Amino acid sequence: LADAILPNLQALPCDDSSGNLASLLWAFTEAGVVHRELFQALAERGAKAMADFQPKVLSDAREPCFWSFHRASASAWSAARGRERRRRAGFAAREFYDLLAPLLLQRMPEIHPICCVYLMWSFCKPRVMCQDLFDAVAARVIPEVRSLDRCGLAMFSWNYSYINYKLEE
């Protein structure tokens, strides 16, 4: 199935109430199927979407962050909504994050600070610890922290608190 989807992956939107990248990644995650080529293509689309997206407020950043299944469209395609069976329910498979993190690190200078905050949350909440990424988010966001809205600033602080981050300085 994944091999058949790969050539048409670019046609799918990140999020929608019908066929989209979020529902596709959710289906493979729920089935416990890791298809490395598909996950790599999805990770590349995710990193590009985060770099290209220009949010106005924090909640806008959910749109390109399709590896978090906490979204309005999920009720249309997620039969598991409301049933937190897995510890990481609501988030992509760990293998997807392992492919996504290096791509995000490469594109960090292009990613809007608000998107950085939300993408870090999408790693912290399911406990995908990626210290290099978290350090890069801090380096990207701190110089522009005054541009964050109150929700963005609260989530930025929450992210580091949630992972028990200890600043050396």
Side-chain angles (χ1 to χ4, degrees), residues 8 10-11 36 59 64 66 77 79 91 114 162 165:
N8 301 310
Q10 294 302 320
R36 187 166 171 80
S59 60
F66 60 83
W77 44 261
F91 297 94
I114 292 174
Y162 190 72
Y165 186 80

Side-chain angles (χ1 to χ4, degrees), residues 2-169:
D3 292 333
I5 294 168
L6 274 167
N8 301 310
L9 200 61
Q10 294 302 320
L12 291 174
C14 289
D15 190 19
D16 195 352
S17 59
S18 59
N20 60 65
L21 300 179
S23 62
L24 178 63
L25 184 56
W26 172 83
F28 276 82
T29 296
E30 282 296 306
V33 175
V34 175
H35 189 281
R36 187 166 171 80
E37 284 181 77
L38 176 64
F39 280 18
Q40 181 67 41
L42 288 167
E44 289 169 8
R45 278 283 304 275
K48 181 178 180 349
M50 290 305 272
D52 293 347
F53 194 71
Q54 294 299 310
K56 290 183 176 50
V57 295
L58 180 66
S59 60
D60 292 347
R62 276 184 281 195
E63 186 178 321
C65 190
F66 60 83
W67 50 93
S68 166
F69 309 136
H70 298 276
R71 51 188 58 249
S73 68
S75 62
W77 44 261
S78 170
R81 187 164 173 86
R83 292 187 334 222
E84 301 293 318
R85 295 186 325 249
R86 296 179 293 120
R87 180 174 178 261
R88 294 171 36 85
F91 297 94
R94 172 65 195 232
E95 293 84 356
F96 172 77
Y97 284 95
D98 292 343
L99 296 168
L100 179 62
L103 298 171
L104 293 170
L105 280 167
Q106 290 172 359
R107 299 196 78 154
M108 190 59 62
E110 304 167 59
I111 301 174
H112 192 283
I114 292 174
C115 287
C116 288
V117 169
Y118 196 86
L119 79 84
M120 184 175 170
W121 173 86
S122 76
F123 276 72
C124 290
K125 188 65 175 164
R127 297 269 187 205
V128 177
M129 298 299 134
C130 185
Q131 196 59 50
D132 290 346
L133 180 66
F134 300 162
D135 291 345
V137 166
R140 174 72 176 102
V141 174
I142 288 173
E144 299 186 48
V145 76
R146 291 180 188 262
S147 70
L148 298 178
D149 64 5
R150 65 182 178 190
C151 294
L153 185 57
M155 184 178 277
F156 185 57
S157 301
W158 181 91
N159 288 340
Y160 289 97
S161 174
Y162 190 72
I163 63 169
N164 270 339
Y165 186 80
K166 304 284 189 236
L167 188 59
E168 300 286 324
E169 301 171 16

